[in-house]
Amino acid sequence: MGRAGIRIPLVLWSLAVLYPIIWMFIGSFKSNGEIYANPWGWPESLNMGNFVTAWTEYNIDTSVFNSLIVTVVGALLTLVLAIPTAYAIERLRFRGSQFLFTLYVSAMMIPMVLGWIPLFFLLARFNMLDNIYGLAIVYAVSQLPFTIFVLTSFMSTIPKSLEESAAMDGLSPYGVLLKIITPLSMSGIITVTIMNAIQFWNEYFMALIFLQTEENYTLALAIDFISSEAQYTNAWGTLFASLTIAIVPVIILYAIFQQRIAKGMTEGAIKG
Amino acid sequence: MVQSKKQKYLFLAFCLIPTFIMFSIFTLYPLFSGLYYSFFEWSGSSESKEFIGISNYIQLFNDEIIPMTIIHDYFLVATKVLGIMVLALFFAVALTQLKIKEAPFYRIVFFFPNIMSVVVIGILWTFIYNPSLGLVNSGLQFMGLEDWARPWLGSEDWALPSLVLPSIWAGIGLFMLMLMGGIANVSKSYYEAAEIDGANEWQQFWKVTLPLVWPQIKISILYIVITTLNGSFIIVQIMTGGGPNNSTHVMGSYLYEQAFVQYNFGYGATIGVMILIFSLVTVLILQFIMRRERVEY
């Protein structure tokens, strides 16, 4: 069978993936007139105007900042909650540990839309509606099942003898967790944190429900807002610029951690 | 090791309880009270909450839009499973079995959309489908197929099928990698044995590769089904908002409209219960259908 024939679909699919993304990048440097006159072509000059407009007139600066806070706070909180639980489930034998693990893991399969209605009123009661820290907490808890799942499987590869000898040397269980287990799981922790961070940076629907005022918008909401504006004002260049702003951090992370992200995601997908 | 029982339990409590409390408040409680809300008529303010028994469920059965949303969801499930699995399997086999030097490049590129935000994907594809500026219509024009050009997302017949393409586009990389992992675990000796028996590449694919990566295929199908039933409404919300004329509403986007646009929170919760039941039953049925003896050679 001809190998050249196999390459054709591979090349075509790469084009199908890359072309729209590159097209979006190019579009972010074009004026609206250029987009209308020639949607496929190159910009006449490297015009940064769209980025300036997005950044200043459409408050992308605020929403980038909000997204950063939600991402960092959410990712850290997930770790603080998930590491001790993963350790206890994986290493400390107690009645019900298997049940607890099953409970957390099965939550990965449950459609959460049903929960979002009560969550809306719960956040309102806690005064955390329209609050990016409230959103960060909801995000953190939503990724707990996945994070616990990945961390337990990672911790199971750490040799038991290490923590035993540390305990012999008089280290308290808290010390073992903090000084032995956490550093030894660092590679798993980094992998799962990158994936959680990408998730939080990209999330759209919970932000749509739980945030209300424009100054609290995350990047996803701000882009959605510009997109609906563009239907009337034709601010396509600005829209492309803000899409570009949204995916550049993800591209950088992906370039650095490409293998980790792919490995983590495929492991996380194996569930059910 | 000197460690009293009490200290041990204290440490266990320290590890488990804060997490479990957070999980209970923000995951378990909302799920169960969602179930509870489905027996109320409620527009959101505390005075308006009224127990109405199973009236919401009766309304659900008489709602003409509900059957449409279910059909739309399963249309998306079927087309996504078919499209993603066929292409992902093809790419996975091509990138592992055939010695292609640039395989790592394809692996990286194909996976990239998996980490893009669904908002970015949705808006990008909305623009690709844009009737006057978009790539699809101008591409058709370029090829001399003007008659095929249409307002894709604005057409009742074409809007839903148009939503499948971005989902496949964004999903293939992940499943390709999962299948590649499965194929990498298949021992080379099976292929050598098959070759000695005179099996050609096509036969090797059907008799060796496919049965031995069946566990990965099964998990991928289940995963696509679950994520589609539980999350397809996001791309719908971004690209069409359920329109035109309800032609793209799925269960989740209809829940959003009922609860957060029309403020029928009780009825929205009822739709949520329906989504829960549909996803659980579908997963159980699929697991029953796809149970297949493990292949051992």
Side-chain angles (χ1 to χ4, degrees):
Chain A
M1 196 155 64
R3 292 290 180 263
I6 294 291
R7 279 204 170 86
I8 294 170
L10 291 170
V11 171
L12 285 180
W13 191 254
S14 324
L15 281 176
V17 170
L18 289 177
Y19 191 72
I21 300 170
I22 295 170
W23 184 61
M24 176 188 85
F25 274 119
I26 295 174
S28 64
F29 295 104
K30 288 166 142 181
S31 68
N32 282 328
E34 283 177 276
I35 290 174
Y36 271 104
N38 186 4
W40 291 47
W42 291 94
E44 274 157 27
S45 63
L46 214 58
N47 170 0
M48 299 297 287
N50 290 324
F51 287 92
V52 175
T53 313
W55 198 259
T56 53
E57 279 175 44
Y58 287 92
N59 301 325
I60 289 288
D61 52 347
T62 322
S63 58
V64 165
F65 185 67
N66 289 338
S67 281
L68 262 180
I69 292 180
V70 169
T71 303
V72 172
V73 173
L76 286 179
L77 185 60
T78 313
L79 286 184
V80 170
L81 293 171
I83 292 174
T85 294
Y87 174 62
I89 287 176
E90 171 54 37
R91 277 302 155 86
L92 310 176
R93 296 231 173 103
F94 61 94
R95 281 173 60 172
S97 59
Q98 191 53 47
F99 171 77
L100 198 60
F101 183 69
T102 313
L103 178 73
Y104 282 127
V105 171
S106 45
M108 291 198 284
M109 283 173 51
I110 302 284
M112 289 312 296
V113 251
L114 173 60
W116 290 349
I117 296 172
L119 208 45
F120 177 82
F121 292 102
L122 191 73
L123 288 176
R125 208 181 311 156
F126 291 164
N127 256 332
M128 288 196 303
L129 208 59
D130 197 23
N131 175 326
I132 48 171
Y133 294 97
L135 188 67
I137 294 173
V138 174
Y139 280 178
V141 177
S142 74
Q143 283 299 94
L144 270 183
F146 169 71
T147 312
I148 290 172
F149 178 71
V150 173
L151 287 182
T152 45
S153 81
F154 202 85
M155 285 175 183
S156 68
T157 63
I158 299 173
K160 268 201 160 100
S161 54
L162 284 169
E163 39 184 321
E164 276 160 13
S165 60
M168 290 292 200
D169 293 343
L171 204 58
S172 72
Y174 305 91
V176 172
L177 175 59
L178 197 69
K179 292 186 180 140
I180 309 286
I181 296 297
T182 306
L184 285 173
S185 324
M186 204 38 93
S187 158
I189 291 174
I190 291 173
T191 303
V192 79
T193 302
I194 294 166
M195 294 170 50
N196 288 345
I198 291 176
Q199 180 78 22
F200 300 158
W201 181 264
N202 286 341
E203 207 281 335
Y204 162 76
F205 217 89
M206 286 190 259
L208 175 70
I209 294 173
F210 299 138
L211 300 178
Q212 290 153 344
T213 46
E214 233 179 288
E215 64 258 35
N216 288 328
Y217 278 2
T218 56
L219 200 47
L221 287 189
I223 292 171
D224 193 34
F225 181 71
I226 298 176
S227 166
S228 47
E229 291 268 291
Q231 309 295 334
Y232 309 103
T233 58
N234 294 320
W236 302 113
T238 317
L239 179 61
F240 283 162
S242 39
L243 290 174
T244 304
I245 293 171
I247 71 166
V248 162
V250 181
I251 291 180
I252 294 173
L253 264 185
Y254 187 52
I256 303 173
F257 296 109
Q258 182 264 124
Q259 239 152 358
R260 265 180 205 276
I261 293 172
K263 192 166 164 284
M265 269 188 95
T266 43
E267 273 169 9
I270 298 173
K271 66 190 189 188
Chain B
M1 215 180 338
V2 222
Q3 196 193 16
S4 74
K5 257 210 150 98
K6 194 182 160 201
Q7 276 173 319
K8 202 184 143 203
Y9 283 126
L10 265 177
F11 179 64
L12 208 55
F14 163 83
C15 284
L16 296 173
I17 289 178
T19 310
F20 191 73
I21 289 176
M22 294 296 274
F23 182 70
S24 305
I25 296 175
F26 292 101
T27 302
L28 293 182
Y29 164 78
L31 277 176
F32 285 106
S33 53
L35 207 68
Y36 173 76
Y37 282 13
S38 71
F39 299 103
F40 288 85
E41 182 165 317
W42 191 24
S43 66
S45 69
S46 49
E47 308 90 64
S48 74
K49 197 166 168 182
E50 188 196 343
F51 182 80
I52 53 167
I54 59 164
S55 299
N56 280 330
Y57 289 88
I58 294 170
Q59 188 187 344
L60 193 76
F61 276 101
N62 294 317
D63 189 331
E64 283 167 9
I65 298 187
I66 291 288
M68 285 167 62
T69 63
I70 298 170
I71 292 170
H72 295 162
D73 257 312
Y74 283 93
F75 173 81
L76 291 179
V77 166
T79 48
K80 273 173 71 177
V81 166
L82 199 70
I84 292 181
M85 290 315 291
V86 168
L87 285 171
L89 198 58
F90 175 81
F91 291 142
V93 171
L95 294 185
T96 42
Q97 312 292 79
L98 316 168
K99 313 242 166 330
I100 296 176
K101 274 199 308 286
E102 61 281 20
F105 167 80
Y106 292 124
R107 205 168 48 84
I108 293 171
V109 168
F110 292 1
F111 186 75
F112 180 67
N114 284 89
I115 57 164
M116 281 171 69
S117 166
V118 65
V119 186
V120 175
I121 293 168
I123 292 174
L124 191 56
W125 277 85
T126 307
F127 202 85
I128 289 173
Y129 284 127
N130 185 299
S132 48
L133 304 174
L135 289 179
V136 176
N137 278 358
S138 39
L140 288 169
Q141 207 168 8
F142 182 75
M143 292 188 288
L145 297 166
E146 290 89 349
D147 296 350
W148 278 81
R150 60 202 69 212
W152 299 95
L153 296 174
S155 141
E156 279 184 41
D157 293 331
W158 286 97
L160 191 68
S162 301
L163 295 180
V164 177
L165 212 54
S167 310
I168 294 177
W169 183 82
I172 274 187
L174 177 64
F175 299 100
M176 181 191 79
L177 285 190
M178 282 174 62
L179 296 173
M180 283 170 81
I183 294 171
N185 286 334
V186 177
S187 160
K188 289 256 182 306
S189 58
Y190 295 129
Y191 293 104
E192 283 158 14
E195 214 155 310
I196 291 168
D197 292 344
N200 63 30
E201 280 178 332
W202 191 240
Q203 288 165 326
Q204 286 180 30
F205 171 76
W206 284 104
K207 300 284 181 204
V208 182
T209 311
L210 208 54
L212 285 168
V213 294
W214 181 246
Q216 279 77 18
I217 294 177
K218 192 178 129 177
I219 289 167
S220 305
I221 292 177
L222 273 177
Y223 189 70
I224 298 171
V225 172
I226 295 171
T227 50
T228 306
L229 288 178
N230 297 359
S232 63
F233 59 90
I234 301 180
I235 198 88
V236 169
Q237 186 62 38
I238 294 166
M239 293 185 68
T240 63
N245 194 18
N246 296 324
S247 64
T248 54
H249 255 316
V250 290
M251 296 186 274
S253 62
Y254 193 50
L255 177 152
Y256 173 77
E257 186 174 303
Q258 284 297 329
F260 295 99
V261 180
Q262 316 259 7
Y263 301 116
N264 296 323
F265 289 101
Y267 190 50
T270 314
I271 300 170
V273 175
M274 175 183 76
I275 298 174
L276 187 74
I277 293 171
F278 267 101
S279 14
L280 294 182
V281 170
T282 308
V283 167
L284 282 179
I285 292 175
L286 266 183
Q287 268 177 332
F288 181 76
I289 296 173
M290 296 198 297
R291 101 209 115 103
R292 170 171 166 171
E293 305 297 310
R294 256 193 105 81
V295 189
E296 309 245 10
Y297 286 121

